[in-house]
Amino acid sequence: MLQLLWLIPALPFFSYAILAIFGKRISRNGVAALGVGSVGTSAILTILLGISFLTSPPANYAFSQTLWKWMDVAGFSPGITFYLDSLSLVFIFVITFVGFLIHLYSSEFMQGDEGYSRFFAYMNLFVGSMLTLVLADNLLLLYLGWEGVGLCSYLLIGFWYQEPENGYAARKAFIVTRVGDAAFAVGLFLLFQNLGTLDIQNMLQRADAQWIAGSTLPVAAALLLLGGAVGKSAQLPLQTWLPDAMAGPTPVSALIHAATMVTAGVYLIARTYVIFQLAPVAMLVVAIIGAATLLLAGFSAITQVDIKRVLAYSTISQIGYMMLALGVGAWAAGIFHFMIHAFFKALLFLGAGVVIITHHHEHNMFKMGGLRKQLPVTFWTFLIASGALAAIPIVTAGFYSKDAIIWYAWSAEGGSTLLWVAALVGAFLTAIYTFRMVFITFFGEEKMPKNGTVGFRLKLPLVVLAVLSVIGGFINLPHTFGKFTPLFNFLEHTLPAIKVVHESLSLEFWFELISAVTALLGLYLAYYFFFKRTQFAERFNNTAVGAAIHRFWFTGWGFDWIYDRLLVFPFVWLARINRRDFIDLFYDGVAWTTQLLHKGVGLTQTGRIRWYAMGIALGAVISIALGVFL
Amino acid sequence: MIHISMETGLILAGILFSLGLLGVLVRRNVIFVLMSIEIMLNAAGLAFVVAGARWGQADGQVMFIFILTMAAAEVSVGLALILQIYHHFKTLDSDAASKMKG
């Protein structure tokens, strides 16, 4: 059964190839069947594979399959090899399963679009690349998948390329992540230079054996890898591309910019955890970046008007939680939150997508209102997902995954009170902005009529994801709820166990109570300020200070402003003054001289025979004279 | 038999050649140009004959016969071209045919 592993990424690639070449000639139903079917088959295979992996685990809880040798240059011979262990199994399950639901949703969502086959071709290419990324056995193959998903992200953000802003957003996403990718590439060179291999398992063993913890090399390598992760996962300071990436179609935001691609950075850090363990400084940096990002993005999310931008900032914030978990050494907790986040965030985006297409592609929440009655299924599923995002206690999956992180932010090896406070404030903000969105969009008076119907293929993914957003958390309960932690146990075959410094059930209980109360308090404040007494928020925004703060948060803490001033404007200025490219002057000079000579010689070609005869005669006289007199 | 020195013969050939060259350069009528070329050819032939006479060898006269043959062929081709030029431009001015166009 495990031998079928190669089929999981191969199927989406195959479907991509067919759609890219023959897409125009296949009917819409054919395109949907191929695009959705290929990912669906991958999802079924993944589940079967997962069952066989769990029931009869391979040796060392890892299975690797070499398809062929990629290249062999001077002792460097990466293979096209897939490596399945508990970490990559969790990732491929989320990618194929959530990916399949989003593909199914897209087949109705994109129904009227003329680029139907192009859309599914890109989506399949994305799923294939993402699976390559997480299944890669060496860092070079991982990098191939990494760039592949970046390309698909670019193509899909700019999917409606007739609008110049979409093209701008796509380029911004590509260029900003490129900064991180460059750091990642340098990190790969450094690792290969010093460890002589890019094969992940060998590399980690050699790093463990050769490097001294805390010395320069592991710190440099870890920080460079972190650079790549920060770019891809939209963390501080490269987070600015994600809110703009919402220009793409909503299923794209759900799949790429919420559930899968943006968590590639989390995967990379978890995959190369040995290097990070050898570099405590880098671990601390990861935790601080995570904590700072989750706070920053949380504040920004409170002020957004566009429903998709709220979700974008909330994604940045939730990935900040995952980074925080990895940074304090709670590896499994980060992956747990990744999985639950994929469920509820994909659901939130898909719900927002339904709202958007049934209201003439309106993104402004303040123009909607009262959608509760118009879209009952969407409302209930959206509410469940919001509950999970805000970590409403006991009943939602988000509570179990996020509270694990908040608890470990204090109690784990790398944890501290400051990180715990940041995580707690983040949870409070999360509850506020989430329910602000719910109250503004779904409650209150109806401002817009519903337009169009919501079909089966839109509803089914919502319902399935809503179920997962509730029961997903039960696969790993906190210690206070009994020792039922199958996911952590499973992940600890690959990742190191979480070292808890302050082991105490009663303490853990009190911490959980605090975060549960925080979430409920946030929910109540959102209800009070954005539903019951909306005039307070308005009055605050009308004061000078309030307006300034609002504008500051609304623009994402002015990062775009700073980057424009620091990087974009000087570059544009240089380009402008150098419009006549001074390096070209030399080549222009060469061309000019040649042209001049050409004109001079051209003058002698008059077409008059007598001139030619004269030339011949003069030439003869001169040559004879030279011959005679010299 | 009057003895003519080689120098005299060569000077005559030189004068004839120069006259021919001058004709080629200054005449615009193509027929005159052709005739001037004939004069130059004959000047060259004369130089061969004079040289052959000087060393008492027949090679000079053999060369002259070659030149005559070649001149005949050249004139036939040249006249055909002149006819074409006249048809085309309705003039015999060689400067009129200075454009590389159909």
Side-chain angles (χ1 to χ4, degrees):
Chain A
M1 187 69 218
L2 289 176
Q3 295 300 330
L4 292 178
L5 178 63
W6 66 276
L7 267 176
I8 294 174
L11 281 170
F13 276 133
F14 174 73
S15 159
Y16 157 71
I18 301 280
L19 287 175
I21 299 169
F22 305 110
K24 285 251 154 73
R25 291 181 213 153
I26 306 174
S27 71
R28 278 176 181 246
N29 287 334
V31 169
L34 200 61
V36 180
S38 62
V39 181
T41 317
S42 283
I44 294 170
L45 270 174
T46 307
I47 291 169
L48 292 177
L49 215 76
I51 292 171
S52 115
F53 191 94
L54 288 172
T55 48
S56 55
N60 297 328
Y61 260 86
F63 170 77
S64 101
Q65 182 180 34
T66 303
L67 297 184
W68 67 85
K69 183 176 269 186
W70 192 355
M71 57 177 101
D72 192 349
V73 189
F76 174 55
S77 53
I80 302 291
T81 304
F82 293 134
Y83 182 84
L84 186 72
D85 59 7
S86 52
L87 178 63
S88 45
L89 187 63
V90 171
F91 269 82
I92 62 169
F93 167 69
V94 170
I95 294 162
T96 55
F97 189 71
V98 177
F100 162 68
L101 290 175
I102 294 172
H103 274 71
L104 181 68
Y105 175 94
S106 311
S107 69
E108 185 177 334
F109 188 89
M110 299 299 287
Q111 195 72 65
D113 202 282
E114 51 185 296
Y116 200 62
S117 66
R118 186 164 60 94
F119 181 82
F120 277 102
Y122 292 165
M123 290 287 267
N124 279 326
L125 179 63
F126 170 78
V127 173
S129 308
M130 190 71 205
L131 288 168
T132 311
L133 196 168
V134 295
L135 284 174
D137 143 276
N138 56 70
L139 281 177
L140 196 69
L141 188 60
L142 190 150
Y143 195 71
L144 179 76
W146 186 274
E147 293 301 319
V149 293
L151 169 71
C152 293
S153 161
Y154 165 77
L155 291 171
L156 285 164
I157 295 169
F159 182 75
W160 288 313
Y161 56 87
Q162 285 94 341
E163 302 286 324
E165 307 91 74
N166 295 352
Y168 173 78
R171 285 197 298 279
K172 183 174 176 187
F174 199 70
I175 291 168
V176 174
T177 47
R178 185 112 333 260
V179 176
D181 291 359
F184 183 18
V186 176
L188 291 193
F189 302 150
L190 185 78
L191 286 170
F192 183 69
Q193 176 78 23
N194 287 287
L195 298 174
T197 179
L198 284 183
D199 180 85
I200 295 170
Q201 303 308 318
N202 275 336
M203 191 189 79
L204 296 183
Q205 273 169 13
R206 287 188 201 178
D208 206 21
Q210 295 175 13
W211 285 352
I212 304 155
S215 60
T216 327
L217 267 177
V219 172
L223 287 179
L224 286 168
L225 291 179
L226 174 65
V230 158
K232 207 51 134 197
S233 292
Q235 297 294 293
L236 219 63
L238 297 177
Q239 83 287 28
T240 56
W241 65 272
L242 191 58
D244 287 333
M246 297 297 117
T250 311
V252 172
S253 312
L255 180 61
I256 300 184
H257 305 118
T260 54
M261 185 193 84
V262 287
T263 53
V266 176
Y267 175 77
L268 179 69
I269 294 178
R271 182 90 282 177
T272 56
Y273 70 93
V274 174
I275 296 173
F276 281 85
Q277 280 186 325
L278 288 171
V281 185
M283 290 277 280
L284 186 66
V285 173
V286 174
I288 291 172
I289 286 182
T293 308
L294 74 90
L295 283 178
L296 225 81
F299 280 115
S300 283
I302 293 184
T303 55
Q304 297 305 312
V305 173
D306 181 332
I307 185 165
K308 282 182 77 181
R309 283 182 88 90
V310 177
L311 294 174
Y313 277 111
S314 117
T315 304
I316 297 176
S317 170
Q318 298 305 308
I319 296 171
Y321 273 105
M322 298 175 209
M323 289 284 181
L324 174 63
L326 299 180
V328 298
W331 307 96
I335 305 304
F336 183 33
H337 194 53
F338 149 75
M339 189 172 91
I340 303 300
H341 173 253
F343 296 150
F344 67 69
K345 190 51 70 65
L347 172 52
L348 283 170
F349 268 113
L350 296 184
V354 172
V355 169
I356 288 166
I357 54 160
T358 51
H359 292 85
H360 301 285
H361 288 269
E362 180 58 65
H363 282 206
N364 189 337
M365 295 189 293
F366 289 92
K367 292 190 181 162
M368 298 167 183
L371 303 189
R372 186 163 44 114
K373 297 193 191 86
Q374 291 178 0
L375 302 163
V377 176
T378 312
F379 166 66
W380 284 109
T381 51
F382 199 89
L383 189 69
I384 290 167
S386 301
L389 173 57
I392 299 304
I394 315 295
V395 291
T396 62
F399 169 72
Y400 299 101
S401 64
K402 197 192 284 182
D403 277 15
I405 294 178
I406 297 175
W407 161 241
Y408 288 124
W410 182 74
S411 68
E413 210 179 3
S416 68
T417 316
L418 214 60
L419 291 174
W420 174 74
V421 170
L424 200 66
V425 174
F428 179 60
L429 292 172
T430 308
I432 295 182
Y433 68 68
T434 309
F435 280 94
R436 167 181 178 266
M437 173 174 71
V438 172
F439 285 125
I440 292 173
T441 315
F442 287 95
F443 288 83
E445 59 193 284
E446 289 184 32
K447 294 173 191 159
M448 255 177 127
K450 181 179 140 187
N451 172 49
T453 51
V454 182
F456 159 76
R457 282 175 294 170
L458 291 186
K459 277 181 190 159
L460 181 72
L462 295 182
V463 174
V464 174
L465 286 171
V467 171
L468 285 173
S469 299
V470 174
I471 63 165
F474 299 134
I475 58 168
N476 201 80
L477 298 178
H479 296 139
T480 42
F481 287 48
K483 284 265 174 197
F484 183 72
T485 56
L487 184 73
F488 280 19
N489 297 346
F490 180 54
L491 282 171
E492 276 160 16
H493 289 296
T494 305
L495 297 168
I498 303 166
K499 284 186 199 130
V500 179
V501 183
H502 312 273
E503 185 110 43
S504 155
L505 275 186
S506 62
L507 259 180
E508 194 175 341
F509 174 77
W510 283 109
F511 271 78
E512 265 151 23
L513 197 65
I514 293 172
S515 48
V517 169
T518 312
L520 290 174
L521 187 68
L523 165 61
Y524 177 73
L525 283 182
Y527 165 76
Y528 191 76
F529 282 116
F530 299 106
F531 182 59
K532 203 151 174 245
R533 296 266 188 277
T534 48
Q535 63 269 33
F536 284 162
E538 277 161 28
R539 206 177 300 154
F540 177 71
N541 283 342
N542 288 335
T543 61
V545 182
I549 292 177
H550 186 272
R551 199 167 51 244
F552 186 52
W553 289 350
F554 184 74
T555 55
W557 295 65
F559 270 92
D560 275 328
W561 188 86
I562 295 172
Y563 288 161
D564 276 352
R565 298 282 175 302
L566 276 183
L567 302 168
V568 179
F569 289 172
F571 188 78
V572 170
W573 176 76
L574 262 180
R576 191 171 296 131
I577 61 162
N578 193 21
R579 180 166 293 187
R580 313 183 50 159
D581 204 346
F582 73 96
I583 294 174
D584 268 8
L585 282 181
F586 172 72
Y587 299 98
D588 284 349
V590 170
W592 184 79
T593 315
T594 315
Q595 222 160 26
L596 196 75
L597 290 175
H598 156 77
K599 273 186 191 145
V601 178
L603 280 179
T604 66
Q605 297 289 309
T606 53
R608 297 184 182 201
I609 301 176
R610 295 182 305 135
W611 280 99
Y612 296 169
M614 181 66 135
I616 294 171
L618 269 179
V621 168
I622 292 171
S623 337
I624 291 169
L626 285 176
V628 171
F629 294 111
L630 291 180
Chain B
M1 192 174 156
I2 312 160
H3 181 78
I4 302 170
S5 71
M6 190 183 70
E7 282 77 16
T8 328
L10 284 182
I11 290 169
L12 178 63
I15 294 172
L16 274 176
F17 188 87
S18 306
L19 283 173
L21 183 62
L22 200 69
V24 170
L25 295 181
V26 300
R27 281 291 187 168
R28 297 171 74 164
N29 190 315
V30 213
I31 293 180
F32 280 93
V33 171
L34 205 61
M35 285 164 72
S36 303
I37 290 172
E38 288 301 314
I39 291 172
M40 286 162 75
L41 283 172
N42 281 308
L46 181 63
F48 270 118
V49 172
V50 168
R54 166 68 179 76
W55 279 287
Q57 290 200 353
D59 292 4
Q61 287 166 32
V62 170
M63 284 306 291
F64 187 65
I65 290 178
F66 276 138
I67 290 174
L68 273 184
T69 326
M70 195 215 65
E74 179 248 323
V75 164
S76 62
V77 174
L79 281 176
L81 282 172
I82 289 170
L83 275 176
Q84 282 299 318
I85 288 174
Y86 187 69
H87 268 294
H88 205 271
F89 296 103
K90 300 288 174 231
T91 173
L92 284 172
D93 188 347
S94 68
D95 287 354
S98 64
K99 294 274 187 299
M100 294 242 318
K101 274 185 191 161

PDB file of all heavy atoms in Angstrom, chain A residues 606-611 613-615 617, chain B residues 21 24-28 94-95 97-98:
ATOM      1  N   THR A 606      27.785  54.628 -55.652  1.00  0.00           N
ATOM      2  CA  THR A 606      26.859  55.528 -56.331  1.00  0.00           C
ATOM      3  C   THR A 606      26.078  54.837 -57.418  1.00  0.00           C
ATOM      4  O   THR A 606      25.073  55.341 -57.877  1.00  0.00           O
ATOM      5  CB  THR A 606      27.639  56.667 -56.976  1.00  0.00           C
ATOM      6  OG1 THR A 606      28.644  56.080 -57.791  1.00  0.00           O
ATOM      7  CG2 THR A 606      28.285  57.557 -55.938  1.00  0.00           C
ATOM      8  N   GLY A 607      26.576  53.701 -57.914  1.00  0.00           N
ATOM      9  CA  GLY A 607      25.918  53.043 -59.033  1.00  0.00           C
ATOM     10  C   GLY A 607      26.427  53.584 -60.367  1.00  0.00           C
ATOM     11  O   GLY A 607      25.991  53.154 -61.426  1.00  0.00           O
ATOM     12  N   ARG A 608      27.358  54.548 -60.344  1.00  0.00           N
ATOM     13  CA  ARG A 608      27.870  55.124 -61.598  1.00  0.00           C
ATOM     14  C   ARG A 608      29.153  54.409 -61.990  1.00  0.00           C
ATOM     15  O   ARG A 608      30.143  54.483 -61.275  1.00  0.00           O
ATOM     16  CB  ARG A 608      28.137  56.598 -61.420  1.00  0.00           C
ATOM     17  CG  ARG A 608      26.840  57.280 -61.105  1.00  0.00           C
ATOM     18  CD  ARG A 608      26.933  58.726 -60.997  1.00  0.00           C
ATOM     19  NE  ARG A 608      25.575  59.159 -60.635  1.00  0.00           N
ATOM     20  CZ  ARG A 608      25.144  60.380 -60.820  1.00  0.00           C
ATOM     21  NH1 ARG A 608      25.941  61.278 -61.329  1.00  0.00           N
ATOM     22  NH2 ARG A 608      23.925  60.688 -60.491  1.00  0.00           N
ATOM     23  N   ILE A 609      29.108  53.774 -63.149  1.00  0.00           N
ATOM     24  CA  ILE A 609      30.220  52.931 -63.574  1.00  0.00           C
ATOM     25  C   ILE A 609      31.500  53.739 -63.694  1.00  0.00           C
ATOM     26  O   ILE A 609      32.570  53.272 -63.354  1.00  0.00           O
ATOM     27  CB  ILE A 609      29.911  52.296 -64.936  1.00  0.00           C
ATOM     28  CG1 ILE A 609      28.645  51.464 -64.800  1.00  0.00           C
ATOM     29  CG2 ILE A 609      31.045  51.429 -65.398  1.00  0.00           C
ATOM     30  CD1 ILE A 609      28.227  50.881 -66.107  1.00  0.00           C
ATOM     31  N   ARG A 610      31.381  54.981 -64.152  1.00  0.00           N
ATOM     32  CA  ARG A 610      32.587  55.759 -64.418  1.00  0.00           C
ATOM     33  C   ARG A 610      33.343  56.051 -63.129  1.00  0.00           C
ATOM     34  O   ARG A 610      34.559  56.067 -63.116  1.00  0.00           O
ATOM     35  CB  ARG A 610      32.207  57.046 -65.121  1.00  0.00           C
ATOM     36  CG  ARG A 610      31.617  56.718 -66.491  1.00  0.00           C
ATOM     37  CD  ARG A 610      31.260  57.920 -67.285  1.00  0.00           C
ATOM     38  NE  ARG A 610      30.368  58.790 -66.556  1.00  0.00           N
ATOM     39  CZ  ARG A 610      30.541  60.111 -66.515  1.00  0.00           C
ATOM     40  NH1 ARG A 610      31.546  60.684 -67.127  1.00  0.00           N
ATOM     41  NH2 ARG A 610      29.693  60.853 -65.844  1.00  0.00           N
ATOM     42  N   TRP A 611      32.591  56.212 -62.034  1.00  0.00           N
ATOM     43  CA  TRP A 611      33.258  56.386 -60.744  1.00  0.00           C
ATOM     44  C   TRP A 611      34.001  55.127 -60.349  1.00  0.00           C
ATOM     45  O   TRP A 611      35.107  55.185 -59.822  1.00  0.00           O
ATOM     46  CB  TRP A 611      32.255  56.757 -59.656  1.00  0.00           C
ATOM     47  CG  TRP A 611      31.885  58.196 -59.688  1.00  0.00           C
ATOM     48  CD1 TRP A 611      30.780  58.743 -60.241  1.00  0.00           C
ATOM     49  CD2 TRP A 611      32.650  59.257 -59.156  1.00  0.00           C
ATOM     50  NE1 TRP A 611      30.781  60.089 -60.108  1.00  0.00           N
ATOM     51  CE2 TRP A 611      31.935  60.452 -59.431  1.00  0.00           C
ATOM     52  CE3 TRP A 611      33.872  59.341 -58.483  1.00  0.00           C
ATOM     53  CZ2 TRP A 611      32.415  61.698 -59.046  1.00  0.00           C
ATOM     54  CZ3 TRP A 611      34.330  60.570 -58.094  1.00  0.00           C
ATOM     55  CH2 TRP A 611      33.602  61.747 -58.373  1.00  0.00           C
ATOM     56  N   ALA A 613      35.193  52.912 -62.360  1.00  0.00           N
ATOM     57  CA  ALA A 613      36.365  52.773 -63.232  1.00  0.00           C
ATOM     58  C   ALA A 613      37.479  53.680 -62.734  1.00  0.00           C
ATOM     59  O   ALA A 613      38.650  53.283 -62.671  1.00  0.00           O
ATOM     60  CB  ALA A 613      35.986  53.129 -64.667  1.00  0.00           C
ATOM     61  N   MET A 614      37.081  54.871 -62.328  1.00  0.00           N
ATOM     62  CA  MET A 614      38.047  55.821 -61.790  1.00  0.00           C
ATOM     63  C   MET A 614      38.730  55.240 -60.559  1.00  0.00           C
ATOM     64  O   MET A 614      39.951  55.326 -60.401  1.00  0.00           O
ATOM     65  CB  MET A 614      37.301  57.101 -61.403  1.00  0.00           C
ATOM     66  CG  MET A 614      38.200  58.183 -60.864  1.00  0.00           C
ATOM     67  SD  MET A 614      39.278  58.749 -62.150  1.00  0.00           S
ATOM     68  CE  MET A 614      39.140  60.497 -61.898  1.00  0.00           C
ATOM     69  N   GLY A 615      37.917  54.620 -59.715  1.00  0.00           N
ATOM     70  CA  GLY A 615      38.472  54.011 -58.501  1.00  0.00           C
ATOM     71  C   GLY A 615      39.484  52.942 -58.854  1.00  0.00           C
ATOM     72  O   GLY A 615      40.585  52.896 -58.280  1.00  0.00           O
ATOM     73  N   ALA A 617      41.190  52.613 -61.600  1.00  0.00           N
ATOM     74  CA  ALA A 617      42.364  53.204 -62.246  1.00  0.00           C
ATOM     75  C   ALA A 617      43.271  53.836 -61.198  1.00  0.00           C
ATOM     76  O   ALA A 617      44.482  53.559 -61.165  1.00  0.00           O
ATOM     77  CB  ALA A 617      41.920  54.251 -63.257  1.00  0.00           C
TER      78      ALA A 617
ATOM     79  N   LEU B  21      41.524  54.731 -71.440  1.00  0.00           N
ATOM     80  CA  LEU B  21      41.063  54.940 -70.062  1.00  0.00           C
ATOM     81  C   LEU B  21      40.341  56.274 -69.928  1.00  0.00           C
ATOM     82  O   LEU B  21      39.258  56.358 -69.321  1.00  0.00           O
ATOM     83  CB  LEU B  21      42.265  54.896 -69.118  1.00  0.00           C
ATOM     84  CG  LEU B  21      41.955  55.027 -67.625  1.00  0.00           C
ATOM     85  CD1 LEU B  21      41.082  53.884 -67.171  1.00  0.00           C
ATOM     86  CD2 LEU B  21      43.229  55.051 -66.808  1.00  0.00           C
ATOM     87  N   VAL B  24      36.948  55.948 -71.254  1.00  0.00           N
ATOM     88  CA  VAL B  24      36.034  55.258 -70.317  1.00  0.00           C
ATOM     89  C   VAL B  24      35.580  56.221 -69.229  1.00  0.00           C
ATOM     90  O   VAL B  24      34.413  56.248 -68.837  1.00  0.00           O
ATOM     91  CB  VAL B  24      36.741  54.037 -69.691  1.00  0.00           C
ATOM     92  CG1 VAL B  24      35.902  53.469 -68.557  1.00  0.00           C
ATOM     93  CG2 VAL B  24      36.980  52.975 -70.731  1.00  0.00           C
ATOM     94  N   LEU B  25      36.524  57.038 -68.759  1.00  0.00           N
ATOM     95  CA  LEU B  25      36.184  57.905 -67.630  1.00  0.00           C
ATOM     96  C   LEU B  25      35.327  59.093 -68.022  1.00  0.00           C
ATOM     97  O   LEU B  25      34.447  59.498 -67.264  1.00  0.00           O
ATOM     98  CB  LEU B  25      37.454  58.402 -66.938  1.00  0.00           C
ATOM     99  CG  LEU B  25      38.308  57.322 -66.264  1.00  0.00           C
ATOM    100  CD1 LEU B  25      39.520  57.941 -65.609  1.00  0.00           C
ATOM    101  CD2 LEU B  25      37.491  56.546 -65.243  1.00  0.00           C
ATOM    102  N   VAL B  26      35.554  59.680 -69.174  1.00  0.00           N
ATOM    103  CA  VAL B  26      34.842  60.923 -69.458  1.00  0.00           C
ATOM    104  C   VAL B  26      33.609  60.735 -70.328  1.00  0.00           C
ATOM    105  O   VAL B  26      32.707  61.560 -70.278  1.00  0.00           O
ATOM    106  CB  VAL B  26      35.767  61.972 -70.105  1.00  0.00           C
ATOM    107  CG1 VAL B  26      36.908  62.296 -69.174  1.00  0.00           C
ATOM    108  CG2 VAL B  26      36.257  61.510 -71.456  1.00  0.00           C
ATOM    109  N   ARG B  27      33.562  59.660 -71.122  1.00  0.00           N
ATOM    110  CA  ARG B  27      32.419  59.504 -72.004  1.00  0.00           C
ATOM    111  C   ARG B  27      31.196  59.019 -71.244  1.00  0.00           C
ATOM    112  O   ARG B  27      31.305  58.159 -70.368  1.00  0.00           O
ATOM    113  CB  ARG B  27      32.766  58.485 -73.104  1.00  0.00           C
ATOM    114  CG  ARG B  27      33.608  59.069 -74.206  1.00  0.00           C
ATOM    115  CD  ARG B  27      32.784  60.042 -74.998  1.00  0.00           C
ATOM    116  NE  ARG B  27      33.524  60.501 -76.161  1.00  0.00           N
ATOM    117  CZ  ARG B  27      32.970  61.180 -77.155  1.00  0.00           C
ATOM    118  NH1 ARG B  27      31.701  61.474 -77.103  1.00  0.00           N
ATOM    119  NH2 ARG B  27      33.688  61.577 -78.185  1.00  0.00           N
ATOM    120  N   ARG B  28      30.019  59.555 -71.562  1.00  0.00           N
ATOM    121  CA  ARG B  28      28.815  59.073 -70.897  1.00  0.00           C
ATOM    122  C   ARG B  28      28.068  58.097 -71.791  1.00  0.00           C
ATOM    123  O   ARG B  28      27.325  57.262 -71.273  1.00  0.00           O
ATOM    124  CB  ARG B  28      27.913  60.252 -70.542  1.00  0.00           C
ATOM    125  CG  ARG B  28      28.613  61.170 -69.549  1.00  0.00           C
ATOM    126  CD  ARG B  28      27.854  62.438 -69.356  1.00  0.00           C
ATOM    127  NE  ARG B  28      26.659  62.189 -68.556  1.00  0.00           N
ATOM    128  CZ  ARG B  28      25.973  63.159 -67.978  1.00  0.00           C
ATOM    129  NH1 ARG B  28      26.369  64.418 -68.119  1.00  0.00           N
ATOM    130  NH2 ARG B  28      24.905  62.889 -67.278  1.00  0.00           N
ATOM    131  N   SER B  94      25.286  56.252 -69.522  1.00  0.00           N
ATOM    132  CA  SER B  94      25.602  55.205 -68.543  1.00  0.00           C
ATOM    133  C   SER B  94      25.200  55.625 -67.129  1.00  0.00           C
ATOM    134  O   SER B  94      24.876  54.795 -66.295  1.00  0.00           O
ATOM    135  CB  SER B  94      27.088  54.883 -68.578  1.00  0.00           C
ATOM    136  OG  SER B  94      27.813  55.990 -68.086  1.00  0.00           O
ATOM    137  N   ASP B  95      25.195  56.913 -66.834  1.00  0.00           N
ATOM    138  CA  ASP B  95      24.811  57.358 -65.485  1.00  0.00           C
ATOM    139  C   ASP B  95      23.326  57.136 -65.206  1.00  0.00           C
ATOM    140  O   ASP B  95      22.900  57.104 -64.049  1.00  0.00           O
ATOM    141  CB  ASP B  95      25.140  58.844 -65.300  1.00  0.00           C
ATOM    142  CG  ASP B  95      26.632  59.040 -65.171  1.00  0.00           C
ATOM    143  OD1 ASP B  95      27.338  58.010 -65.108  1.00  0.00           O
ATOM    144  OD2 ASP B  95      27.080  60.189 -65.134  1.00  0.00           O
ATOM    145  N   ALA B  97      21.772  54.451 -65.660  1.00  0.00           N
ATOM    146  CA  ALA B  97      21.579  53.109 -65.093  1.00  0.00           C
ATOM    147  C   ALA B  97      22.344  52.994 -63.779  1.00  0.00           C
ATOM    148  O   ALA B  97      23.197  52.131 -63.610  1.00  0.00           O
ATOM    149  CB  ALA B  97      22.053  52.060 -66.089  1.00  0.00           C
ATOM    150  N   SER B  98      22.049  53.891 -62.844  1.00  0.00           N
ATOM    151  CA  SER B  98      22.810  53.857 -61.589  1.00  0.00           C
ATOM    152  C   SER B  98      21.994  53.319 -60.416  1.00  0.00           C
ATOM    153  O   SER B  98      22.445  53.309 -59.301  1.00  0.00           O
ATOM    154  CB  SER B  98      23.313  55.262 -61.259  1.00  0.00           C
ATOM    155  OG  SER B  98      22.213  56.097 -61.022  1.00  0.00           O
TER     156      SER B  98
END
